[in-house]
Amino acid sequence: MKIYEDLVERGLIAQVTDEEKIKNIVNEGKATFYIGFDCTADSLTAGHFVALTLMKRLQAAGNRPIALIGGGTTMIGDPSGRTDMRKMLTRKDIDHNAECFRKQMEKFIDFSEGKAMMVNNADWLLNLNYIELLREVGTCFSVNNMLRAECYKQRMEKGLSFFEFNYMIMQSYDFYYLFQNYDCNMQFGGDDQWSNMLGGTELIRKKLGKDAHAMTITLLTDSQGKKMGKTAGNAVWLDPNKTSPFDFYQYWRNVGDADVLKCMKMLSFMPIEKINEMENWEGSRLNEAKEMLAYEMTAMVHGEEEAIKAKESARKLFSAGTAENMPTAEITEDDLTDGKTDILTLLEKAGIASSRSQGRTLISQGGISVEGEKITDTYKSFDKDELKNGLIIKKGKKVFVKVILK
């Protein structure tokens, strides 16, 4: 199966312009394409996996990826999918985040000479003269059409600043600049980016003529990507200092039954034919599929050694209630009163409860165990000797944290 057909079979393609041209160019390995990454944090998340694995797939088929770091656009912030304005970051923060992104992307993409590029749109956007920009591209954008774009609609009632309104023009200008300076003929992005991305395609055609082969593909990453990017209200980071390899493995191991094969198709490099054979898997066999997914995702980000450790640790955890590499939390003597501390403090320190009130609720619902013993008393306390050896706190069936006194 050729690469474009494989992407379709995996459920990755949402909308395209010029599908026949795109199919031919991608299948022949002649695409130079870009995907943008705004630097709003110092780590990529699991929500970026679709984009990262897509770049890896296309590069393996002979196409050339451009990882566009949004050093310039991050200074404005994409209003898509937002109910309020993003936090404004300093140039120093953005540069730091961009460098973190580079290190993480190198695990997926070969940036050696001629294979791929990483560029930063701060290099051209921050040097633009506002009046010159308006004269060059302003006439190519209809305000009426922009206001009808999905990326702005949900912000109209609560208020959309003119500052953010410029984001579509900036993103469109990126494609225009990359087309002219890097022979970039294709852009990929989430399906929530369709309006912004069409702006770039139309800008190229209006400025350079209808024969300019600038093409757009959006991926089914909007709801799925956001779902994969977060769990229990917290981001699942690619940085091991933010999400440990064990937690990362457990996140994928605990994917819902309805989503496991979808994730395998979109994210793993297992042949699609083999994944299709799993359609009727149930029970223990479905758990086997989840382990396969978790191992591959963890190995891609943290390496095979950490993936093996996480897998073995998870199996020990569920078979014996202990794990060598489970997440740990530390408390100090300052957290003790008369040599003891209470369960509510431990739940907060372990990150299991965000407040003492939430901790009480979890205990009253029968969801907390310590060292295998269900906790029913919200005043339950533990002494220094118990804490020095470490206490394994369990929430529900799948969340384990070891709390140790340092």
Side-chain angles (χ1 to χ4, degrees):
M1 185 181 296
K2 293 184 177 180
I3 181 63
Y4 185 83
E5 286 75 11
D6 185 60
L7 297 180
V8 173
E9 180 71 16
R10 290 177 182 274
L12 284 165
I13 305 299
Q15 304 176 84
V16 301
T17 63
D18 309 298
E19 184 170 34
E20 283 303 312
K21 288 181 181 177
I22 288 172
K23 184 191 301 184
N24 292 334
I25 290 172
V26 166
N27 284 342
E28 292 171 7
K30 296 180 179 178
T32 296
F33 67 96
Y34 93 89
I35 297 180
F37 300 83
D38 276 355
C39 314
T40 53
D42 59 0
S43 174
L44 297 166
T45 74
H48 293 104
F49 248 123
V50 173
L52 294 170
T53 54
L54 174 86
M55 296 173 90
K56 185 178 178 70
R57 292 182 208 281
L58 290 171
Q59 185 179 55
N63 299 285
R64 189 185 188 200
I66 299 176
L68 176 64
I69 299 298
T73 41
T74 304
M75 298 192 79
I76 295 178
D78 183 5
S80 300
R82 302 282 300 186
T83 57
D84 55 4
M85 195 167 83
R86 294 180 187 273
K87 176 186 175 182
M88 292 179 65
L89 302 176
T90 66
R91 179 68 186 275
K92 182 178 179 181
D93 288 337
I94 293 170
D95 289 345
H96 170 72
N97 293 349
E99 184 57 32
C100 293
F101 279 21
R102 170 186 284 275
K103 293 176 182 177
Q104 293 173 359
M105 287 180 182
E106 287 173 345
K107 297 178 180 179
F108 295 83
I109 305 163
D110 179 2
F111 286 105
S112 58
E113 186 67 29
K115 297 283 189 176
M117 290 181 289
M118 182 175 287
V119 296
N120 191 326
N121 64 16
D123 294 341
W124 56 85
L125 292 181
L126 299 189
N127 295 324
L128 288 173
N129 177 286
Y130 188 61
I131 299 298
E132 290 178 0
L133 176 66
L134 290 178
R135 288 178 63 87
E136 183 177 6
V137 305
T139 56
C140 298
F141 289 85
S142 162
V143 171
N144 291 343
N145 289 339
M146 292 174 73
L147 290 175
R148 286 194 290 268
E150 289 296 327
C151 59
Y152 294 140
K153 276 184 180 179
Q154 67 186 65
R155 289 293 304 280
M156 296 304 293
E157 291 185 9
K158 291 192 174 182
L160 175 71
S161 69
F162 180 71
F163 179 68
E164 294 172 284
F165 189 61
N166 281 271
Y167 190 90
M168 181 186 289
I169 296 176
M170 295 294 98
Q171 183 171 334
S172 300
Y173 190 87
D174 281 342
F175 194 17
Y176 176 57
Y177 184 92
L178 292 171
F179 184 89
Q180 290 185 290
N181 293 276
Y182 293 94
D183 297 321
C184 178
N185 55 12
M186 206 172 291
Q187 59 178 335
F188 283 78
D191 58 334
D192 58 335
Q193 291 286 306
W194 181 245
S195 299
N196 285 349
M197 294 170 69
L198 278 183
T201 303
E202 291 304 309
L203 175 60
I204 291 170
R205 291 177 178 175
K206 287 178 180 178
K207 295 294 294 182
L208 304 176
K210 293 187 181 296
D211 293 332
H213 293 159
M215 289 150 279
T216 298
I217 301 180
T218 63
L219 308 170
L220 289 172
T221 59
D222 185 18
S223 59
Q224 188 66 23
K226 290 186 174 94
K227 183 178 179 181
M228 288 188 292
K230 293 185 177 182
T231 178
N234 298 311
V236 181
W237 305 99
L238 272 59
D239 182 345
N241 294 315
K242 290 176 171 287
T243 299
S244 71
F246 178 85
D247 280 344
F248 195 82
Y249 179 93
Q250 284 297 96
Y251 171 72
W252 297 105
R253 173 62 181 78
N254 294 330
V255 164
D257 290 356
D259 291 327
V260 61
L261 293 186
K262 182 188 297 183
C263 288
M264 291 186 80
K265 288 179 180 179
M266 296 175 73
L267 306 177
S268 83
F269 288 85
M270 184 181 297
I272 190 67
E273 297 81 8
K274 187 171 181 180
I275 299 173
N276 288 336
E277 291 174 1
M278 302 178 185
E279 290 288 349
N280 297 319
W281 283 17
E282 296 179 351
S284 62
R285 303 247 30 216
L286 195 57
N287 286 333
E288 182 184 339
K290 292 180 182 182
E291 285 191 343
M292 293 164 65
L293 172 68
Y295 179 84
E296 183 166 346
M297 296 299 100
T298 307
M300 271 196 277
V301 175
H302 300 295
E304 290 190 6
E305 184 178 347
E306 290 295 337
I308 292 170
K309 287 180 182 178
K311 183 177 180 178
E312 292 176 349
S313 186
R315 286 183 171 178
K316 289 180 182 178
L317 181 63
F318 287 102
S319 63
T322 61
E324 297 171 2
N325 298 301
M326 76 171 68
T328 60
E330 296 180 357
I331 63 171
T332 67
E333 295 280 352
D334 293 337
D335 298 307
L336 306 181
T337 302
D338 297 329
K340 296 181 178 181
T341 191
D342 61 79
I343 182 62
L344 297 178
T345 297
L346 293 182
L347 291 177
E348 283 191 276
K349 291 293 182 179
I352 290 174
S354 59
S355 65
R356 295 177 71 85
S357 175
Q358 186 186 30
R360 291 189 188 95
T361 300
L362 290 171
I363 291 171
S364 68
Q365 293 173 343
I368 300 297
S369 297
V370 177
E371 293 294 311
E373 177 186 348
K374 182 170 287 189
I375 302 298
T376 58
D377 180 5
T378 57
Y379 294 97
K380 173 75 174 177
S381 63
F382 302 88
D383 62 31
K384 187 183 296 187
D385 290 336
E386 292 175 293
L387 290 164
K388 280 184 177 179
N389 293 325
L391 293 172
I392 296 175
I393 302 177
K394 177 183 175 184
K395 182 183 80 168
K397 295 181 179 180
K398 299 179 179 178
V399 178
F400 293 76
V401 180
K402 188 171 187 176
V403 180
I404 302 174
L405 176 65
K406 290 294 184 182

